[in-house]
Amino acid sequence: MSQELPRTATGARPMRKLPLDFEAFHRMYRPIYVHWAEIRLGNRADAEEAVDAAFEKLLRAWSAVLTKENPTAYAWRVLRHTTIDFSRARDRRPALIGEAAFETVALSQAVDPIGQFEESLSLYEAIGQLPPRQMDVMLLQFGQGFTVEEVAAALGITPAGVRSTVRHARRRLEHAYGVKRRLEATRHEGAAQGEGEGECNGFARSESEEGHADDIAH
């Protein structure tokens, strides 16, 4: 097509023949889009490719996008579905854990990084079971450290909406993640008790142990 998306590489040629409002939208939201897509895909290059594909779709129908009641929220849905389609086309399971867990703010400041990483993996598994909006908000705000205002702007909702979503997500996580942690604690306590009994008896005991955005998203 004759229009080109902005390029981010150093020395890239200037963008031409793009609507100014689209250029501003792209510049404002591409970074956070890439962060989210990287969590979903587990790979930076794939994330950038998926995000650029989403922007291509938005650009081709930009006039129609602007007629939507909430263009920013609509654009986020296009990003979400494009990224999911990208993952399916490559026969990949969405990541949600792995590299994303290493990037949590808590992990980077942890006194016990290994223990914190194990906690992060369990938490990301629980986050992966949340409804889409709750999952997106939790990944962006707590997984990547974006502010309430930044998350609200990217998703096309209000800061109050983000805070409300976080409250609902926390309740779900407290149940799912809390139950899992209690089960793990019970298992470890049982193992410790078994080892103690084994030592007394001279035996070693062993233990054995997871709607597309209208027409533009296609």
Side-chain angles (χ1 to χ4, degrees), residues 63-130:
S63 296
V65 172
L66 294 178
T67 66
K68 300 295 180 182
E69 182 177 355
N70 188 333
T72 304
Y74 185 80
W76 182 266
R77 293 198 300 274
V78 171
L79 166 71
R80 166 176 270 281
H81 292 303
T82 301
T83 302
I84 292 172
D85 287 346
F86 187 95
S87 177
R88 288 172 178 165
R90 286 158 176 73
D91 195 25
R92 295 179 185 172
R93 180 176 176 273
L96 283 184
I97 58 174
E99 292 182 13
F102 281 106
E103 296 175 0
T104 61
V105 175
L107 183 62
S108 67
Q109 300 173 351
V111 175
D112 176 17
I114 299 301
Q116 183 63 53
F117 178 62
E118 292 175 350
E119 290 282 315
S120 296
L121 289 178
S122 296
L123 180 57
Y124 269 76
E125 288 176 1
I127 289 175
Q129 304 304 314
L130 292 172

XYZ file of all heavy atoms in Angstrom, residues 63-130:
533
model
N -10.658 5.915 9.081
C -11.850 6.768 9.092
C -13.004 6.089 9.824
O -13.730 6.723 10.593
C -12.274 7.117 7.662
O -11.274 7.874 7.019
N -13.155 4.786 9.596
C -14.221 4.042 10.279
C -13.926 3.913 11.765
O -14.835 3.979 12.608
C -14.380 2.660 9.653
N -12.653 3.742 12.098
C -12.276 3.625 13.514
C -12.680 4.890 14.265
O -13.192 4.824 15.386
C -10.761 3.377 13.654
C -10.327 3.438 15.117
C -10.379 2.019 13.056
N -12.457 6.025 13.643
C -12.754 7.295 14.305
C -14.247 7.521 14.527
O -14.634 8.361 15.333
C -12.173 8.464 13.492
C -10.646 8.509 13.408
C -10.202 9.690 12.544
C -10.026 8.608 14.805
N -15.085 6.779 13.835
C -16.528 6.920 14.033
C -17.029 6.048 15.190
O -18.185 6.173 15.586
C -17.305 6.522 12.760
O -17.124 5.120 12.504
C -16.824 7.325 11.554
N -16.170 5.191 15.710
C -16.577 4.337 16.824
C -16.831 5.181 18.066
O -16.247 6.251 18.243
C -15.501 3.283 17.127
C -15.185 2.349 15.964
C -16.371 1.482 15.613
C -16.061 0.560 14.453
N -17.224 -0.268 14.055
N -17.684 4.672 18.923
C -17.993 5.394 20.164
C -16.742 5.601 21.007
O -16.571 6.641 21.639
C -19.040 4.619 20.964
C -19.468 5.310 22.248
C -20.549 4.547 22.984
O -21.041 3.527 22.436
O -20.896 4.949 24.103
N -15.852 4.606 21.017
C -14.607 4.701 21.777
C -13.484 4.133 20.910
O -13.158 2.951 20.998
C -14.730 3.919 23.087
C -13.539 4.139 24.014
O -12.435 4.424 23.575
N -13.767 3.987 25.322
N -12.883 4.963 20.047
C -11.849 4.473 19.131
C -10.668 3.803 19.826
O -10.124 2.817 19.318
C -11.408 5.749 18.395
C -12.597 6.647 18.462
C -13.194 6.392 19.812
N -10.265 4.329 20.976
C -9.116 3.757 21.677
C -9.421 2.357 22.188
O -8.599 1.436 22.052
C -8.693 4.662 22.847
O -8.431 5.978 22.359
C -7.423 4.135 23.504
N -10.603 2.172 22.774
C -10.995 0.840 23.242
C -11.127 -0.114 22.065
O -10.761 -1.295 22.155
C -12.302 0.924 24.025
N -11.648 0.394 20.960
C -11.802 -0.435 19.765
C -10.434 -0.865 19.235
O -10.226 -2.020 18.865
C -12.557 0.346 18.703
C -12.879 -0.465 17.476
C -13.955 -1.348 17.465
C -12.099 -0.364 16.327
C -14.247 -2.107 16.343
C -12.382 -1.115 15.198
C -13.464 -1.989 15.217
O -13.742 -2.744 14.106
N -9.492 0.073 19.223
C -8.144 -0.244 18.753
C -7.498 -1.308 19.634
O -6.788 -2.188 19.132
C -7.280 1.018 18.736
N -7.756 -1.252 20.939
C -7.190 -2.266 21.825
C -7.756 -3.642 21.489
O -7.041 -4.636 21.507
C -7.465 -1.920 23.285
C -6.849 -2.931 24.214
C -7.444 -4.032 24.756
C -5.487 -2.961 24.651
N -6.539 -4.748 25.516
C -5.330 -4.107 25.469
C -4.380 -2.119 24.440
C -4.119 -4.428 26.076
C -3.180 -2.446 25.042
C -3.057 -3.592 25.843
N -9.040 -3.713 21.175
C -9.636 -4.999 20.802
C -9.004 -5.531 19.519
O -8.762 -6.735 19.381
C -11.151 -4.870 20.646
C -11.869 -4.589 21.953
C -13.361 -4.889 21.852
N -14.034 -4.093 20.845
C -14.522 -2.870 21.053
N -14.393 -2.304 22.252
N -15.148 -2.222 20.098
N -8.745 -4.630 18.583
C -8.074 -5.047 17.343
C -6.691 -5.603 17.671
O -6.284 -6.650 17.153
C -7.962 -3.876 16.355
C -7.081 -4.244 15.162
C -9.350 -3.445 15.880
N -5.952 -4.919 18.541
C -4.637 -5.406 18.954
C -4.743 -6.783 19.595
O -3.995 -7.704 19.253
C -4.011 -4.435 19.955
C -2.793 -4.986 20.705
C -1.601 -5.098 19.772
C -2.467 -4.143 21.926
N -5.672 -6.925 20.528
C -5.817 -8.191 21.257
C -6.096 -9.350 20.300
O -5.440 -10.391 20.343
C -6.929 -8.060 22.301
C -7.404 -9.377 22.870
C -8.427 -9.172 23.974
N -7.746 -9.059 25.243
C -7.282 -10.090 25.921
N -7.411 -11.313 25.425
N -6.687 -9.936 27.078
N -7.078 -9.162 19.418
C -7.465 -10.252 18.530
C -6.404 -10.523 17.460
O -6.195 -11.674 17.076
C -8.820 -9.957 17.895
C -9.942 -9.985 18.882
N -10.221 -11.079 19.665
C -10.860 -9.043 19.231
C -11.262 -10.819 20.447
N -11.661 -9.598 20.209
N -5.736 -9.473 17.006
C -4.667 -9.670 16.033
C -3.529 -10.470 16.654
O -2.956 -11.372 16.015
C -4.140 -8.319 15.521
O -5.209 -7.591 14.912
C -3.026 -8.518 14.502
N -3.195 -10.162 17.892
C -2.127 -10.878 18.587
C -2.498 -12.335 18.820
O -1.678 -13.246 18.636
C -1.812 -10.195 19.930
O -1.445 -8.829 19.695
C -0.661 -10.896 20.640
N -3.741 -12.581 19.215
C -4.199 -13.953 19.425
C -4.167 -14.734 18.104
O -3.736 -15.886 18.046
C -5.603 -13.959 20.047
C -5.534 -13.424 21.482
C -6.193 -15.370 20.028
C -6.884 -13.212 22.126
N -4.638 -14.089 17.027
C -4.598 -14.742 15.712
C -3.160 -15.033 15.287
O -2.866 -16.070 14.698
C -5.274 -13.862 14.664
C -6.793 -13.829 14.817
O -7.334 -14.683 15.545
O -7.429 -12.939 14.217
N -2.260 -14.099 15.589
C -0.842 -14.270 15.267
C -0.293 -15.499 15.983
O 0.428 -16.312 15.397
C -0.080 -13.013 15.697
C 1.363 -12.985 15.281
C 1.757 -12.344 14.120
C 2.334 -13.585 16.072
C 3.096 -12.317 13.749
C 3.665 -13.565 15.715
C 4.051 -12.920 14.544
N -0.654 -15.640 17.251
C -0.192 -16.783 18.037
C -0.746 -18.092 17.482
O -0.029 -19.089 17.340
C -0.622 -16.615 19.496
O -0.257 -17.722 20.269
N -2.025 -18.099 17.136
C -2.644 -19.316 16.606
C -2.060 -19.688 15.250
O -1.864 -20.870 14.953
C -4.150 -19.110 16.480
C -4.877 -19.083 17.816
C -6.314 -18.681 17.635
N -7.048 -18.684 18.901
C -8.227 -18.113 19.078
N -8.823 -17.483 18.066
N -8.819 -18.163 20.257
N -1.770 -18.679 14.433
C -1.230 -18.954 13.097
C 0.125 -19.643 13.177
O 0.507 -20.397 12.284
C -1.114 -17.654 12.304
N 0.847 -19.388 14.266
C 2.155 -20.014 14.459
C 2.073 -21.203 15.401
O 3.091 -21.698 15.870
C 3.149 -18.968 14.969
C 3.570 -18.015 13.869
C 4.098 -16.705 14.418
N 4.588 -15.855 13.340
C 3.795 -15.212 12.470
N 2.486 -15.346 12.564
N 4.309 -14.464 11.524
N 0.839 -21.606 15.684
C 0.598 -22.786 16.518
C 1.325 -22.668 17.845
O 1.988 -23.591 18.316
C 1.053 -24.064 15.800
C 0.485 -25.318 16.467
O -0.569 -25.210 17.121
O 1.105 -26.389 16.340
N 1.172 -21.498 18.448
C 1.817 -21.272 19.728
C 0.785 -21.058 20.819
O -0.274 -20.516 20.581
C 2.716 -20.024 19.677
C 3.881 -20.178 18.732
C 4.692 -18.919 18.711
N 5.748 -18.992 17.713
C 6.510 -17.958 17.382
N 6.322 -16.801 17.950
N 7.449 -18.098 16.467
N 1.164 -21.466 22.012
C 0.326 -21.223 23.165
C 0.734 -19.880 23.748
O 1.916 -19.610 23.913
C 0.544 -22.326 24.213
C -0.291 -22.164 25.476
C -0.043 -23.373 26.389
N -0.733 -23.233 27.643
C -0.224 -22.606 28.700
N 0.975 -22.053 28.624
N -0.904 -22.536 29.835
N -0.225 -18.996 24.079
C 0.141 -17.712 24.677
C 1.070 -17.898 25.867
O 0.879 -18.798 26.686
C -1.218 -17.131 25.101
C -2.181 -17.738 24.140
C -1.673 -19.144 23.905
N 2.072 -17.063 25.965
C 3.108 -17.228 26.970
C 2.613 -16.964 28.390
O 2.452 -17.870 29.184
C 4.291 -16.320 26.637
N 2.385 -15.691 28.686
C 1.929 -15.212 29.989
C 2.932 -15.454 31.107
O 2.936 -14.765 32.101
C 0.584 -15.842 30.400
C -0.643 -15.261 29.720
C -1.893 -15.897 30.290
C -0.715 -13.764 29.874
N 3.774 -16.460 30.962
C 4.789 -16.705 31.974
C 6.137 -16.703 31.285
O 6.257 -16.279 30.155
C 4.531 -18.031 32.724
C 4.505 -19.208 31.746
C 3.234 -17.976 33.486
C 4.395 -20.553 32.440
N 7.165 -17.168 31.965
C 8.478 -17.204 31.339
C 9.154 -15.850 31.422
O 9.371 -15.314 32.506
N 9.476 -15.258 30.265
C 10.169 -13.986 30.252
C 9.370 -12.910 30.971
O 9.921 -12.043 31.631
C 10.444 -13.547 28.810
C 11.456 -14.413 28.102
C 11.734 -13.903 26.694
O 11.332 -12.772 26.387
O 12.346 -14.637 25.918
N 8.062 -12.943 30.821
C 7.224 -11.927 31.438
C 7.398 -11.919 32.947
O 7.415 -10.866 33.583
C 5.756 -12.166 31.085
N 7.533 -13.094 33.547
C 7.676 -13.167 34.996
C 8.990 -12.543 35.437
O 9.069 -11.952 36.513
C 7.600 -14.623 35.454
N 10.028 -12.664 34.612
C 11.307 -12.066 34.960
C 11.239 -10.545 34.979
O 12.067 -9.892 35.595
C 12.384 -12.492 33.950
C 12.909 -13.874 34.183
C 12.544 -14.913 33.350
C 13.764 -14.131 35.238
C 13.031 -16.188 33.552
C 14.266 -15.417 35.450
C 13.891 -16.446 34.605
N 10.277 -9.977 34.275
C 10.221 -8.539 34.110
C 9.356 -7.831 35.144
O 9.164 -6.635 35.077
C 9.704 -8.199 32.707
C 10.644 -8.676 31.624
C 10.085 -8.446 30.232
O 8.969 -7.920 30.142
O 10.764 -8.799 29.278
N 8.803 -8.567 36.093
C 7.959 -7.922 37.082
C 8.778 -6.971 37.929
O 9.955 -7.191 38.214
C 7.275 -8.953 37.999
O 8.288 -9.692 38.679
C 6.388 -9.893 37.211
N 8.139 -5.891 38.360
C 8.818 -4.915 39.205
C 9.264 -5.567 40.504
O 10.373 -5.347 40.989
C 7.868 -3.730 39.494
C 8.517 -2.756 40.468
C 7.501 -3.017 38.201
N 8.393 -6.403 41.082
C 8.723 -7.064 42.341
C 9.967 -7.927 42.199
O 10.824 -7.958 43.085
C 7.540 -7.909 42.812
N 10.089 -8.627 41.076
C 11.226 -9.517 40.877
C 12.524 -8.737 40.779
O 13.545 -9.141 41.327
C 11.019 -10.364 39.621
C 12.101 -11.403 39.332
C 12.164 -12.429 40.456
C 11.841 -12.096 38.004
N 12.481 -7.604 40.097
C 13.700 -6.821 39.908
C 14.218 -6.251 41.220
O 15.394 -5.932 41.342
C 13.442 -5.676 38.916
O 12.541 -4.736 39.463
N 13.347 -6.133 42.225
C 13.739 -5.561 43.508
C 13.787 -6.614 44.617
O 13.945 -6.295 45.785
C 12.752 -4.447 43.892
C 12.695 -3.317 42.874
C 11.597 -2.316 43.176
O 10.758 -2.535 44.042
N 11.619 -1.202 42.478
N 13.663 -7.883 44.252
C 13.523 -8.942 45.248
C 14.849 -9.244 45.944
O 15.913 -9.236 45.335
C 12.989 -10.210 44.598
N 14.758 -9.528 47.249
C 15.919 -9.981 48.006
C 16.222 -11.428 47.649
O 17.377 -11.843 47.571
C 15.650 -9.854 49.531
C 16.816 -10.434 50.329
C 15.427 -8.393 49.900
N 15.163 -12.209 47.403
C 15.292 -13.621 47.028
C 14.724 -13.805 45.627
O 13.572 -14.194 45.461
C 14.533 -14.492 48.036
C 14.536 -15.973 47.651
O 15.381 -16.355 46.816
O 13.698 -16.726 48.177
N 15.504 -13.517 44.568
C 14.977 -13.585 43.192
C 14.424 -14.947 42.808
O 13.426 -15.033 42.110
C 16.200 -13.216 42.337
C 17.106 -12.466 43.259
C 16.906 -13.093 44.608
N 15.059 -16.032 43.264
C 14.584 -17.370 42.895
C 13.213 -17.617 43.500
O 12.278 -18.055 42.825
C 15.577 -18.458 43.354
C 16.937 -18.243 42.684
C 15.025 -19.841 43.011
C 16.897 -18.281 41.176
N 13.079 -17.318 44.770
C 11.786 -17.492 45.422
C 10.735 -16.599 44.813
O 9.592 -17.010 44.608
N 11.136 -15.371 44.495
C 10.182 -14.441 43.890
C 9.773 -14.910 42.500
O 8.632 -14.746 42.082
C 10.792 -13.038 43.797
C 9.838 -11.983 43.252
C 8.631 -11.791 44.144
O 8.763 -11.553 45.342
N 7.435 -11.904 43.569
N 10.715 -15.510 41.770
C 10.387 -16.014 40.439
C 9.359 -17.137 40.529
O 8.413 -17.201 39.732
C 11.657 -16.521 39.742
C 11.399 -17.108 38.383
C 10.868 -16.344 37.364
C 11.678 -18.443 38.132
C 10.617 -16.887 36.114
C 11.431 -18.992 36.888
C 10.902 -18.210 35.881
N 9.524 -18.043 41.488
C 8.551 -19.113 41.674
C 7.180 -18.545 42.004
O 6.156 -19.014 41.514
C 9.023 -20.065 42.783
C 10.272 -20.861 42.404
C 10.788 -21.706 43.545
O 10.290 -21.517 44.684
O 11.682 -22.530 43.321
N 7.173 -17.501 42.848
C 5.912 -16.833 43.162
C 5.320 -16.219 41.894
O 4.112 -16.288 41.665
C 6.152 -15.725 44.201
C 6.501 -16.226 45.580
C 5.263 -16.699 46.327
O 4.247 -15.993 46.292
O 5.318 -17.774 46.941
N 6.170 -15.605 41.071
C 5.697 -14.953 39.853
C 5.075 -15.952 38.891
O 4.041 -15.686 38.283
C 6.852 -14.222 39.154
O 7.340 -13.174 39.959
N 5.695 -17.119 38.747
C 5.157 -18.132 37.852
C 3.758 -18.560 38.283
O 2.840 -18.663 37.457
C 6.083 -19.350 37.806
C 7.425 -19.173 37.092
C 8.238 -20.462 37.186
C 7.233 -18.782 35.638
N 3.590 -18.809 39.572
C 2.277 -19.211 40.072
C 1.258 -18.100 39.865
O 0.114 -18.347 39.477
C 2.368 -19.565 41.562
O 3.206 -20.682 41.760
N 1.680 -16.872 40.122
C 0.770 -15.748 39.968
C 0.373 -15.555 38.509
O -0.797 -15.308 38.196
C 1.418 -14.472 40.512
C 0.593 -13.196 40.421
C -0.742 -13.372 41.138
C 1.353 -12.018 41.008
N 1.339 -15.686 37.592
C 1.017 -15.510 36.178
C 0.071 -16.595 35.676
O -0.766 -16.357 34.814
C 2.292 -15.483 35.327
C 2.830 -14.090 35.142
C 3.510 -13.452 36.159
C 2.628 -13.384 33.962
C 3.991 -12.166 36.021
C 3.097 -12.096 33.800
C 3.782 -11.493 34.838
O 4.241 -10.214 34.699
N 0.215 -17.800 36.220
C -0.722 -18.860 35.851
C -2.134 -18.478 36.272
O -3.101 -18.696 35.536
C -0.309 -20.180 36.516
C 0.939 -20.792 35.903
C 1.368 -22.048 36.647
O 0.657 -22.421 37.614
O 2.381 -22.642 36.277
N -2.254 -17.910 37.470
C -3.570 -17.492 37.961
C -4.102 -16.315 37.143
O -5.283 -16.266 36.802
C -3.483 -17.114 39.441
N -3.230 -15.361 36.791
C -3.650 -14.211 35.980
C -4.158 -14.685 34.622
O -5.098 -14.120 34.072
C -2.474 -13.223 35.814
C -2.193 -12.516 37.148
C -2.788 -12.186 34.727
C -0.987 -11.606 37.118
N -3.552 -15.737 34.091
C -3.960 -16.263 32.790
C -5.381 -16.778 32.765
O -5.955 -16.964 31.687
N -5.977 -17.003 33.942
C -7.345 -17.493 34.013
C -8.361 -16.360 34.192
O -9.571 -16.608 34.234
C -7.482 -18.474 35.195
C -6.499 -19.632 35.142
C -6.589 -20.416 33.855
O -7.687 -20.749 33.401
N -5.447 -20.717 33.252
N -7.878 -15.129 34.294
C -8.791 -13.995 34.483
C -9.527 -13.656 33.186
O -9.055 -13.964 32.090
C -7.999 -12.763 34.931
C -7.375 -12.792 36.327
C -6.479 -11.572 36.519
C -8.436 -12.853 37.417
